[in-house]
């Protein structure tokens, strides 16, 4: 059996190694368009590779996977985060779990993950061919014909194909699938930060709020977590999560809208009011701006008080019920205009890709083209930050390896 894996990224390399280990007689070839395998994995997590997550801080799977949670539920049963840790440990890469659930190689070096996958492929006997960008994939009576650009190899025929070409921020990245007539979901970027027009907010650059609630006005998209104020607007885990949940909505609106910030992690004005009343009764003669809620910095508190229209020299006893109400409202729901998006370091993932309606969720095999499987970001599956995207790549790769190896037990490739 000839198996072609297209794309030597996270999903492609793990999948190829696993197929070849289980089917040593199969000819497993990985075609990579770039000059070397796993180039993106080498720079993940800022070079440390956050390769999975304990999932302990995740409630519903949709919180981690805004697109593809149903598929991931099954894929995680094939190969979950503990399996991923064990797999790399067996390949000589022990890992550590951080307090926030993120998992890294103990060495904090992404190259250990890269080398482990390369070694696993080499020892199993996988052939990796770089500088072979696949330009088209055709299904001719159940045999897949693969064509390349800029290669001396005219084309390659395979009985099974695993497409692991990753995310693509433009629809052009999915053009190789055109001859197959597969439905795709228009790709748009996910995981970005927001530009905010308000100059007074930008002047707070560097301020961090550990537990903020952020949301998009007029929608149900919300996220909670740390918020970082930057010189262009807002960033941090809460914003990255919100950008993931609302990736398509924001793309449709040209990255414009209103960001609501609940500075104390609650949008309930009554809760904020209780805290303010407590502060007022503890120090009635102190200036409001000089007594700040424990969760906020003094600079940020001054900014919030100014947004509520309170004078700098106002004392708690002089605030009055209207002033208190305005302050509670600014704390619970402060609104800022989003003027655009900005990249988060160089990290982004694609929302969109091959439609999940095209694949069987148990095998990730194309319903229209038996023998063609998909794994990784090429499918319409993506996650928030924290190691969930790489876990998705490993889980799907393993699912495909399970499917291909279990359906070719008699050696004739029939399934
Ligand atoms: C800077 C950065 C940091 C990140 N950090 C993390 C992190 O710490 N943790 C985490 O979970 N996720 C992280 N991610 C996301 C994660 O890297 C991806 O979700 C994951 O790599 C997807 O795996 P994949 O195998 O689907 O695709 P990729 O790893 O992107 O691999 C796809 C491969 O296919 C090749 N290819 C594409 N088209 C063709 C073609 N036509 N012919 C041949 N080859 C082709 C590409 O060159 C590439 O090598 C990060 C992303 C970025 C950009």
């Amino acid at each position: 059996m000839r198996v072609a894996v297209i794309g030597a990224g996270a999903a492609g390399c793990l999948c190829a190694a696993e197929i070849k280990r289980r089917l040593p007689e199969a000819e497993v070839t990985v075609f990579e368009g770039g000059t070397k395998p796993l180039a993106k994995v080498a720079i993940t997590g800022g070079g440390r590779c956050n390769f999975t997550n304990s999932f302990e801080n995740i409630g519903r799977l949709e919180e981690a996977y805004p697109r593809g949670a149903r598929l991931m539920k099954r894929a995680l049963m094939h190969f979950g985060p503990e399996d991923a840790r064990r797999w790399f440990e067996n390949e000589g890469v022990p890992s550590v779990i951080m307090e926030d659930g993120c998992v890294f190689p103990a060495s904090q070096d992404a190259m250990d993950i890269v080398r482990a996958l390369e070694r696993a492929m080499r020892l199993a006997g996988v052939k990796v061919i770089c500088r072979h960008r696949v330009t088209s994939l055709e299904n001719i009576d159940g045999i897949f014909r693969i064509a390349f650009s800029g290669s001396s190899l005219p084309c390659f025929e395979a009985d099974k194909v695993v497409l692991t070409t990753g995310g693509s921020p433009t629809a052009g990245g999915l053009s190789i699938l055109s001859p197959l007539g597969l439905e795709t979901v228009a790709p748009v970027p996910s995981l970005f930060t927001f530009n905010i027009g308000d100059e007074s907010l930008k002047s707070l650059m560097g301020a961090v709020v550990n537990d903020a609630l952020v949301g998009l006005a007029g929608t149900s998209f919300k996220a909670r977590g740390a918020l970082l104020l930057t010189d262009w607007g807002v960033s941090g885990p809460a914003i990255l999560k919100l950008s993931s949940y609302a990736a398509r909505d924001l793309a449709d609106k040209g990255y414009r809208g209103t960001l609501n910030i609940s500075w104390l992690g609650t949008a309930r004005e009554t809760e904020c009011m209780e805290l303010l009343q407590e502060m007022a009764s503890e120090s009635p003669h102190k200036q409001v701006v000089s007594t700040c809620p424990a969760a906020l910095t003094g600079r940020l508190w001054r900014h919030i008080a100014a947004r509520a229209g309170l004078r700098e020299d106002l004392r708690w006893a002089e605030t009055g019920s209207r002033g208190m109400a305005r302050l509670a409202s600014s704390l619970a729901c402060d609104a800022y205009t989003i003027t655009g998006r900005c990249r988060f370091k160089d990290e982004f993932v694609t929302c969109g890709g091959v439609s999940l309606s095209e694949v069987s969720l148990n095998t990730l095999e194309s319903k229209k083209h038996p023998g063609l499987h998909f794994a990784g970001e090429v499918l319409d599956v993506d996650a928030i930050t924290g190691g969930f995207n790489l876990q998705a790549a490993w889980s799907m790769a393993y699912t495909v390896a399970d499917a291909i190896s279990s359906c070719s037990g008699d050696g004739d490739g029939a399934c």
Side-chain angles (χ1 to χ4, degrees):
M1 181 169 64
R2 295 155 302 172
V3 181
V5 178
I6 305 176
C13 292
L14 188 110
C15 189
E18 278 299 318
I19 294 172
K20 185 69 180 160
R21 275 177 181 175
R22 298 173 207 190
L23 299 174
E25 73 288 356
E27 188 191 311
V28 181
T29 311
V30 184
F31 294 104
E32 166 57 42
T35 54
K36 56 184 177 195
L38 298 158
K40 194 196 276 182
V41 174
I43 56 162
T44 51
R48 294 162 64 216
C49 189
N50 177 193
F51 73 94
T52 184
N53 191 288
S54 67
F55 284 68
E56 268 166 22
N57 300 322
I58 291 296
R60 290 162 50 244
L61 215 46
E62 284 80 1
E63 287 173 27
Y65 296 98
R67 287 146 297 267
R70 206 158 72 86
L71 178 151
M72 281 307 299
K73 192 173 174 195
R74 299 199 195 186
L76 286 165
M77 282 190 235
H78 280 270
F79 195 74
E82 267 311 308
D83 300 314
R85 291 191 69 198
R86 209 170 307 119
W87 196 93
F88 282 103
E89 172 108 46
N90 288 340
E91 301 301 321
V93 187
S95 52
V96 285
I97 307 181
M98 312 309 274
E99 223 169 83
D100 60 2
C102 293
V103 179
F104 294 88
S107 63
Q108 306 279 324
D109 184 355
M111 286 311 293
D112 280 354
I113 297 287
V114 170
R115 284 187 285 263
L117 286 163
E118 285 181 328
R119 195 172 46 240
M121 289 195 292
R122 194 173 58 247
L123 293 181
V126 172
K127 200 166 166 188
V128 181
I129 303 183
C130 292
R131 296 191 174 87
H132 278 60
R133 181 155 297 276
V134 172
T135 49
S136 91
L137 176 62
E138 285 176 278
N139 179 354
I140 300 167
D141 300 330
I143 300 290
F144 293 95
R145 183 171 293 168
I146 302 167
F148 310 93
S149 67
S151 144
S152 50
L153 201 64
C155 70
F156 185 89
E157 290 193 341
D159 307 294
K160 302 261 180 201
V161 169
V162 190
L163 198 81
T164 55
T165 46
S168 162
T170 62
L174 297 168
S175 61
I176 60 169
L177 296 173
S178 305
L180 299 176
L182 295 171
E183 190 187 314
T184 57
V185 179
V188 296
S190 177
L191 300 185
F192 46 85
T193 66
F194 298 166
N195 296 335
I196 299 286
D198 190 295
E199 289 304 319
S200 65
L201 191 73
K202 289 187 205 168
S203 71
L204 297 167
M205 175 180 89
V208 179
V209 182
N210 286 327
D211 182 20
L213 177 70
V214 291
L216 283 184
T219 75
S220 57
F221 297 115
K222 282 193 192 76
R224 193 165 172 173
L227 174 72
L228 171 66
L229 304 184
T230 66
D231 58 348
W232 65 89
V234 284
S235 178
I239 295 297
L240 293 173
K241 246 193 261 180
L242 184 62
S243 79
S244 172
Y245 297 157
R248 190 159 302 282
D249 187 75
L250 280 164
D252 290 345
K253 292 175 178 156
Y255 302 100
R256 308 266 154 177
T258 301
L259 175 70
N260 290 336
I261 304 179
S262 306
W263 297 105
L264 297 180
T266 173
R268 291 210 184 93
E269 282 186 28
T270 46
E271 277 179 43
C272 296
M273 183 58 98
E274 275 168 28
L275 175 79
L276 293 175
Q277 279 164 346
E278 221 171 274
M279 290 167 71
S281 66
E282 267 170 25
S283 353
H285 304 300
K286 279 199 175 169
Q287 287 180 348
V288 173
V289 293
S290 65
T291 40
C292 154
L296 305 177
T297 64
R299 249 182 351 137
L300 180 55
W301 178 235
R302 261 172 209 273
H303 165 83
I304 294 167
R307 301 264 302 169
L310 302 191
R311 282 191 340 260
E312 278 264 325
D313 60 350
L314 193 76
R315 291 170 200 284
W316 282 107
E318 304 163 339
T319 312
S321 56
R322 283 221 193 125
M324 290 290 267
R326 284 203 310 271
L327 197 50
S329 162
S330 290
L331 274 175
C333 187
D334 206 0
Y336 295 90
T337 303
I338 300 169
T339 55
R341 74 180 170 92
C342 198
R343 270 195 168 197
F344 169 63
K345 299 175 189 162
D346 269 332
E347 187 165 340
F348 69 91
V349 295
T350 303
C351 154
V354 174
S355 167
L356 302 188
S357 63
E358 290 285 353
V359 296
S360 144
L361 296 190
N362 285 327
T363 57
L364 304 184
E365 185 171 24
S366 164
K367 292 176 187 166
K368 289 183 188 142
H369 302 280
L372 170 63
H373 296 253
F374 300 89
E377 225 181 289
V378 69
L379 281 168
D380 184 18
V381 177
D382 64 279
I384 60 172
T385 55
F388 301 104
N389 281 296
L390 282 172
Q391 180 61 52
W394 316 133
S395 296
M396 290 190 252
Y398 208 86
T399 301
V400 171
D402 276 351
I404 290 182
S405 55
S406 65
C407 81
S408 50
D410 56 4
D412 68 355
C415 215

